[in-house]
């Protein structure tokens, strides 16, 4: 696409731009791109607004261009100044398009000349889709308010006017003022020794796409966990977080051995309040993570491996639009599993693959064939809507297919070279295929046919010759499950005392679509699953209890979905409850209490499920 881009620019007078690269942005990167962003913001909890200026440095490509189009959503634009090469400021004329419910409002800035800098004075809305403002009551410590951003996929535009497309990369700096006892952190250089003086400055010197802009403000403690790692969390969570995440430096070293140096200097982790709508978000230098990964036994730190892996696949080599998301999430899911294998052993890594493969196949039964493709057409479609396991696990499966055909001796250096070759670039599947063709296919002719590649990329489903993962440890779990379901094994006789999380997931997934009520009750009596402190076990279990009509678990379900706002964990429970009138009434009642604590994204997903 990069080449296509260039061709358009050189040979067509007026390139019809954004559609060629990114259907989710109004910006016109073939005419002008932002190369740096300078933010000066005040965090105002009283009005739930960010107030300040965004200064964009521009690189003009089209000599005829005289306007700058930016993405915004629900921003109040106060004034815009054009700043010329001599530093002279001129007021610029601008207009905001009507608000599109998915894409927001294009901000059109008319300029007399191709000025190097534009400065925009603005404030955000309390409803900004990319920010969550929380009262003290909604935090773990309950003493101070909290605010955090989630910019991916297209929410950066709700807190900064910019070119909100991953095809554009820029450096940034920020000056942020916040109420005094609170700490401000960003996806940039965070000073673990910073005084809590309400005045923070950040620099991100590596060029990043807009979806990696991130900020959080709250009562945050910090613990150093290694030479280049630290954990930020609320005071009541910090000790558990530092313990659970103590292997982070080892994880980085493991990944470096496979794929080359970590290029972002520090790797810190921020544990957010439980309403964080995702498991993790790979904000550069500062991964954002849900507290639900703090299971106490490190069984869920694979999520950190995933976010860390994005430091290569995603943050370094970036999908140019959400249509090529498999290049971020599929590569990352592949790398995540390689890290888990190195750190926690082949057995654990294989169990993860088996669970993920099975869950993908089940999920795909309910996904339309055209949504099962790795490269998707998302024109007019909200990128938050189409989220499924396909880019993650089909993408990862494709890479494992290549790995199995070429062997790790060839595939590992190939992947490493790919990350180096496209470092700090935004690319599409075409560039991946070019590199693949030159560096693997042509060197080992006959190992993989182009028809096989086409099937993975352009056909629905999973190709029949996909490698099948097998876990010997799961054989025992499967036997226990089938004996239990057949009534030949009592719940109390299942040898599950030493099962790790993945074995429980396998067992719960083996239960029938509609489990017997008596069997679910017996399992709960024997293993107390309704009180599991492990979110991955808990949400699958709660779905099974709802299917079985086991209403005894409702108090725990209510407590779970009131406390946690992570979409992946709560939405499936709501979906299952919504299938019966009684379940739906219960879900609506619990949701009314949970709603104020949910992130706008989670609210949107749940309200869709409940038809509210
Ligand atoms: N980058 C994603 C989160 C994301 C994807 C946000 C698309 C918005 C749009 C992140 O790396 C991710 O995949 N998180 C997963 C982690 C899991 C797969 C280990 C999550 O949040 O569940
Ligand atoms: Zn990811």
């Amino acid at each position: 696409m990069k080449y296509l881009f260039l061709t358009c620019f050189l040979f067509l007078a007026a390139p019809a731009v954004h559609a060629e690269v990114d259907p989710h942005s109004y910006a016109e990167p073939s005419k002008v791109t932002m190369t740096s962003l300078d933010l000066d913001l005040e965090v105002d909890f009283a009005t739930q607004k960010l107030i300040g200026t965004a200064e964009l440095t521009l690189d003009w490509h089209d000599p005829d261009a005289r306007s700058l189009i930016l993405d915004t959503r629900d921003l109040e634009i106060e004034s815009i100044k054009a700043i010329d090469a001599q530093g002279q400021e001129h007021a610029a004329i601008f207009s905001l398009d009507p608000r599109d419910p998915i894409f927001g409002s294009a901000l059109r800035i008319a300029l007399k000349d191709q000025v190097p800098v534009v400065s925009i004075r603005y404030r955000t809305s309390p409803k900004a889709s990319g920010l969550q403002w929380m009262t003290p009551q909604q935090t773990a410590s309950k003493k101070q308010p909290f605010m955090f951003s989630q910019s991916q996929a297209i929410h950066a535009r709700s807190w900064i006017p910019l070119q909100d497309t991953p095809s554009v990369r820029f450096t940034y700096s920020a000056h942020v003022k916040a109420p005094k006892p609170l700490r401000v952190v960003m996806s940039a250089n965070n000073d673990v020794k910073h005084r809590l003086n309400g005045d923070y400055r950040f620099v991100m010197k590596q060029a990043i796409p807009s979806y990696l802009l991130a900020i959080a403000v709250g009562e945050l403690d910090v613990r150093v966990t290694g030479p280049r790692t630290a954990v930020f969390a609320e005071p009541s969570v910090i000790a558990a977080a530092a313990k659970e995440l103590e292997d982070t430096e080892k994880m980085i070293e493991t990944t470096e051995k496979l794929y080359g140096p970590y290029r972002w200097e520090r790797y810190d982790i921020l544990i957010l309040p439980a309403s964080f709508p995702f498991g993790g978000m790979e904000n550069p230098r500062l991964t954002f993570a849900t507290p639900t990964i703090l299971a106490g036994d490190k069984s869920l730190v694979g999520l950190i491996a995933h976010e860390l892996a994005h430091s290569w696949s995603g943050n370094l080599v970036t999908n140019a639009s959400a249509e090529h998301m498999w290049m971020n999430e599929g590569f990352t899911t592949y790398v995540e599993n390689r890290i888990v294998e190195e750190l926690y052993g082949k057995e654990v890594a294989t169990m993860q693959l088996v669970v993920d493969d099975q869950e993908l196949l089940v999920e795909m039964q309910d996904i339309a064939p055209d949504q099962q493709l790795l490269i998707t057409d998302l024109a007019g479609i909200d990128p938050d809507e189409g989220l499924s396991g396909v880019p993650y696990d089909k993408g990862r499966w494709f890479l494992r297919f290549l790995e199995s055909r070429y062997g790790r001796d060839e595939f590992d250096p190939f992947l490493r070279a790919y990350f180096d070759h496209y470092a700090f670039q935004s690319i599409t599947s075409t560039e991946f295929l070019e590199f693949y063709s030159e560096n693997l296919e042509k060197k080992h002719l006959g190992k993989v046919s182009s028809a096989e590649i086409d099937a993975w990329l352009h056909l629905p489903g999973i190709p029949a010759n996909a490698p099948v993962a097998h876990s010997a440890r799961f054989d025992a779990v499967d036997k226990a499950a089938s004996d239990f379901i057949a009534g030949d094994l009592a719940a109390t006789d299942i040898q599950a005392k030493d099962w790790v999380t993945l074995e429980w997931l396998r067992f719960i997934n083996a239960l029938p679509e509609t489990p017997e009520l008596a069997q679910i009750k017996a399992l709960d009596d024997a293993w107390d699953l309704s009180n599991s402190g492990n979110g991955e076990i808990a949400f699958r279990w709660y779905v099974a209890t709802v299917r079985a009509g086991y209403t005894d678990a409702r108090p725990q379900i209510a407590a779970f979905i009131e406390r946690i706002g992570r979409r992946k964990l709560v939405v499936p429970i709501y979906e299952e409850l919504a299938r019966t009138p009684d379940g739906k009434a219960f879900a609506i009642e619990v949701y009314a209490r949970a709603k104020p604590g949910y992130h706008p994204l989670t609210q949107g997903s749940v309200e869709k499920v409940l038809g509210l």
Side-chain angles (χ1 to χ4, degrees):
M1 203 57 99
K2 196 180 57 194
Y3 304 106
L4 193 75
F5 202 88
L6 240 128
T7 322
C8 289
F9 177 54
L10 292 175
F11 301 112
L12 302 174
V17 215
H18 71 260
E20 76 193 349
V21 170
D22 187 344
H24 299 135
S25 172
Y26 292 112
E28 300 179 314
S30 70
K31 295 185 181 171
V32 54
T33 45
M34 56 189 289
T35 56
S36 72
L37 167 70
D38 194 3
L39 290 171
D40 195 329
L41 295 175
E42 191 184 320
V43 182
D44 185 21
F45 280 98
T47 59
Q48 304 197 323
K49 289 179 180 194
L50 299 178
I51 304 161
T53 57
E55 205 170 275
L56 278 57
T57 303
L58 304 170
D59 187 7
W60 293 88
H61 311 298
D62 176 350
D64 297 327
R66 287 294 180 280
S67 66
L68 173 66
I69 302 181
L70 300 177
D71 294 298
T72 75
R73 183 188 290 127
D74 300 327
L75 296 183
E76 212 181 294
I77 308 292
E78 266 169 40
S79 60
I80 302 183
K81 285 187 300 207
I83 304 176
D84 68 20
Q86 284 70 48
Q88 297 272 4
E89 299 180 351
H90 311 272
I93 294 175
F94 64 90
S95 66
L96 264 185
D97 281 5
R99 181 185 194 276
D100 179 277
I102 300 175
F103 304 116
S105 309
L107 170 60
R108 297 172 192 276
I109 306 170
L111 297 164
K112 285 202 208 75
D113 304 296
Q114 299 198 334
V115 288
V117 176
V118 161
S119 176
I120 303 165
R121 195 155 171 87
Y122 72 103
R123 56 187 68 210
T124 60
S125 155
K127 296 193 313 272
S129 62
L131 302 177
Q132 187 177 7
W133 295 88
M134 304 169 69
T135 62
Q137 210 42 29
Q138 292 162 347
T139 65
S141 303
K142 308 211 182 321
K143 289 202 196 101
Q144 296 288 348
F146 202 106
M147 188 278 292
F148 66 86
S149 68
Q150 167 57 40
S151 297
Q152 200 183 11
I154 51 169
H155 302 285
R157 65 189 66 179
S158 76
W159 63 286
I160 306 168
L162 41 46
Q163 293 182 306
D164 198 9
T165 164
S167 63
V168 172
R169 312 179 74 97
F170 52 89
T171 56
Y172 82 88
S173 64
H175 175 213
V176 184
K177 285 194 183 149
K180 233 192 200 138
L182 304 186
R183 185 193 300 270
V184 182
V185 289
M186 290 191 81
S187 54
N189 63 323
N190 290 291
D191 175 4
V192 295
K193 298 212 177 78
H194 202 291
R195 280 191 304 127
L196 301 177
N197 62 357
D199 195 300
Y200 293 78
R201 283 175 197 276
F202 302 89
V203 177
M204 172 47 101
K205 61 184 181 191
Q206 288 105 334
I208 59 164
S210 57
Y211 75 90
L212 295 176
L213 284 164
I215 185 170
V217 185
E219 190 191 0
L220 289 170
D221 261 358
V222 59
R223 282 282 168 87
V224 170
T225 54
R228 53 184 159 171
T229 61
V231 175
F232 294 91
E234 291 188 72
S236 62
V237 180
I238 191 79
K243 179 83 191 111
E244 198 89 8
L245 304 173
E246 66 188 356
D247 295 339
T248 306
E249 170 61 25
K250 259 194 271 170
M251 265 188 192
I252 304 173
E253 288 169 13
T254 299
T255 323
E256 288 183 310
K257 270 192 211 116
L258 285 165
Y259 304 116
Y262 178 75
R263 305 217 200 188
W264 306 87
E265 298 171 25
R266 289 195 59 85
Y267 181 74
D268 298 323
I269 298 170
L270 169 66
I271 299 294
L272 288 136
S275 69
F276 185 55
F278 289 95
M281 179 63 213
E282 66 271 27
N283 297 316
R285 293 172 184 238
L286 182 66
T287 278
F288 281 26
T290 167
T292 62
I293 60 163
L294 308 176
D297 59 0
K298 301 186 185 171
S299 64
L300 303 180
V301 298
L303 185 134
I304 298 299
H306 179 99
E307 304 314 332
L308 172 67
H310 273 306
S311 306
W312 285 261
S313 43
N315 300 6
L316 197 57
V317 181
T318 307
N319 57 207
S321 84
E323 297 184 326
H324 300 270
M325 186 181 171
W326 79 278
M327 300 178 60
N328 274 24
E329 298 303 342
F331 278 71
T332 292
T333 306
Y334 172 83
V335 172
E336 168 196 342
N337 197 260
R338 295 295 306 271
I339 299 171
V340 168
E341 179 182 323
E342 293 295 324
L343 275 181
Y344 302 104
K346 186 126 193 144
E347 199 162 54
V348 174
T350 305
M351 288 193 285
Q352 185 73 59
L353 289 174
V354 175
V355 166
D356 289 349
D357 285 355
Q358 188 200 13
E359 292 188 345
L360 175 66
L361 293 173
V362 170
E363 187 186 357
M364 284 208 304
Q365 290 169 0
D366 293 329
I367 300 183
D370 64 323
Q371 311 279 307
Q372 297 181 15
L373 309 181
L374 280 184
I375 304 169
T376 48
D377 177 2
L378 295 180
I381 293 176
D382 184 343
D384 287 331
E385 287 290 312
L387 275 184
S388 81
V390 171
Y392 289 80
D393 288 301
K394 184 175 178 180
R396 181 263 308 154
W397 214 337
F398 171 44
L399 296 175
R400 287 194 65 83
F401 163 77
L402 294 178
E403 179 207 283
S404 73
R405 288 291 181 86
Y406 291 101
R408 285 187 178 177
D409 286 351
E410 295 296 331
F411 193 67
D412 289 357
F414 161 75
L415 215 51
R416 181 178 177 152
Y418 163 77
F419 292 137
D420 281 342
H421 187 77
Y422 292 115
F424 296 108
Q425 294 185 41
S426 301
I427 61 170
T428 70
S429 305
T430 309
E431 279 89 47
F432 165 72
L433 286 175
E434 272 171 21
F435 195 78
Y436 162 76
S437 164
E438 286 303 314
N439 296 283
L440 269 184
E441 194 183 29
K442 284 188 189 155
K443 287 189 182 156
H444 308 277
L445 283 173
K447 288 208 171 167
V448 175
S449 71
S450 45
E452 287 175 312
I453 299 283
D454 279 351
W456 276 101
L457 290 180
H458 303 298
L459 294 181
I462 298 294
N465 60 2
V468 178
H470 177 258
S471 156
R473 231 158 103 181
F474 277 176
D475 293 343
V477 177
D478 293 350
K479 174 89 172 56
S482 58
D483 289 351
F484 171 73
I485 293 160
D488 297 335
L489 179 70
T492 44
D493 290 336
I494 300 171
Q495 300 298 304
K497 219 161 49 50
D498 300 319
W499 278 0
V500 296
T501 301
L502 284 160
E503 287 167 299
W504 276 112
L505 303 191
R506 176 73 177 180
F507 183 87
I508 296 168
N509 285 344
L511 293 171
E513 178 99 25
T514 312
E516 294 285 341
L517 174 57
Q519 290 198 324
I520 291 293
K521 179 165 175 18
L523 279 174
D524 208 21
D525 290 343
W527 299 100
D528 201 19
L529 291 165
S530 295
N531 290 312
S532 170
N534 184 306
E536 294 284 341
I537 296 177
F539 96 86
R540 288 173 179 82
W541 171 251
Y542 293 144
V543 168
T545 66
V546 175
R547 289 187 175 161
Y550 177 63
T551 48
D552 291 10
R554 282 199 178 172
Q556 288 95 329
I557 291 179
F560 186 82
I561 56 187
E562 275 180 61
R563 183 168 55 87
I564 295 168
R566 181 177 172 192
R567 280 202 305 187
K568 175 191 162 183
L569 301 189
V570 300
V571 172
I573 303 174
Y574 282 107
E575 276 171 348
E576 210 48 56
L577 285 167
R579 285 185 214 281
T580 63
D582 172 60
K584 190 166 175 180
F586 168 71
I588 289 173
E589 175 212 315
V590 180
Y591 176 62
R593 292 198 299 272
K595 181 179 175 176
Y598 282 175
H599 187 279
L601 275 169
T602 306
Q603 290 183 6
S605 304
V606 174
E607 287 176 13
K608 204 170 149 208
V609 168
L610 297 179
L612 299 175

